[in-house]
């Protein structure tokens, strides 16, 4: 593993342990050249996923991008980072087990919406406002009203 500080090619693993949800291995490493310590995470990947975006553009699935989107939606909300990490792992696992190497961005968006609906209503509305491309305040009001009705059922 390349050192993120000095770019030296070799590092030594000092400690390994599973993450809380058991979906990854956390490794503490030390660079053999500069001595800096850093952490890496190792996850099982069932298949290479390609995201088919609007206009038929394709790009590799980026777990970090999904994590950032969820973190933005949950910013300043009482949602622990571990819950976000579990949701990201769950979404990635669902995508990998579809059997398809190509997945649509809409499929990812719907899985995120489903996960956020159960996680936090404000984060759900925040994500939906971007994902569904609300143009006017009426769009936002109608969607927020439907979320409020779900909570009363």
């Amino acid at each position: 593993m390349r050192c993120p500080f000095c770019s030296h090619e070799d590092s030594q693993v000092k400690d390994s342990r599973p993450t809380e949800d058991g979906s990854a291995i956390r490794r503490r490493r030390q660079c053999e050249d500069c001595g800096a310590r850093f952490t890496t995470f190792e996850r099982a990947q069932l298949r290479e996923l390609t995201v088919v975006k609007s206009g038929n553009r394709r790009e590799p699935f980026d777990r970090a991008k999904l994590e950032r989107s969820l973190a933005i939606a949950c910013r300043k909300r009482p949602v622990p980072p571990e819950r976000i990490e579990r949701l990201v792992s769950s979404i990635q696992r669902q995508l990998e087990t579809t059997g398809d190497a190509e997945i649509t961005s809409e499929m990812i968006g719907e899985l995120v919406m489903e996960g956020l609906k159960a996680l936090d209503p404000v984060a759900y509305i925040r994500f939906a406002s971007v994902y569904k491309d609300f143009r006017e305040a009426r769009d936002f009001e109608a969607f927020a009203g439907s979320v409020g009705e779900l909570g009363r059922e």
Side-chain angles (χ1 to χ4, degrees):
M1 171 69 60
R2 183 185 308 260
C3 174
F5 302 102
C6 73
S7 297
H8 185 71
E9 293 290 328
D10 295 320
S11 63
Q12 186 176 35
V13 175
K14 293 296 186 183
D15 179 46
S16 291
R17 64 179 68 161
T19 56
E20 281 185 28
D21 64 354
S23 66
I25 304 246
R26 177 184 182 272
R27 297 197 193 284
R28 211 47 200 139
R29 297 178 174 270
Q30 183 169 3
C31 176
E32 292 180 357
D33 190 42
C34 71
R37 288 184 176 236
F38 57 99
T39 301
T40 60
F41 290 89
E42 182 180 311
R43 287 185 173 74
Q45 184 172 339
L46 300 177
R47 67 172 31 99
E48 290 288 326
L49 296 173
T50 301
V51 179
V52 180
K53 301 180 77 84
S54 61
N56 241 5
R57 290 181 301 118
R58 286 170 166 67
E59 64 182 49
F61 174 76
D62 184 358
R63 181 187 171 93
K65 185 175 180 180
L66 180 58
E67 289 172 339
R68 282 190 305 274
S69 295
L70 286 167
I72 289 168
C74 294
R75 184 177 291 149
K76 295 188 179 181
R77 298 295 304 152
V79 178
E82 304 81 47
R83 297 278 313 270
I84 295 171
E85 179 66 29
R86 269 197 304 260
L87 179 55
V88 170
S89 293
S90 169
I91 291 169
Q92 184 174 7
R93 207 169 15 261
Q94 289 176 66
L95 294 171
E96 289 175 341
T97 58
T98 62
D100 297 328
E102 289 190 342
I103 50 171
T104 63
S105 56
E106 289 81 19
M107 182 181 193
I108 296 171
E110 293 302 320
L111 289 173
V112 170
M113 294 274 291
E114 192 178 299
L116 283 175
K117 185 189 286 187
L119 192 64
D120 184 82
V122 173
Y124 173 62
I125 292 171
R126 283 179 181 166
F127 184 85
S129 69
V130 174
Y131 176 65
K132 294 193 178 281
D133 195 24
F134 292 165
R135 298 270 182 207
E136 300 176 7
R138 275 192 305 255
D139 300 336
F140 191 82
E141 282 178 37
F143 187 78
S146 71
V147 171
E149 291 168 14
L150 287 174
R152 285 184 229 131
E153 290 177 354

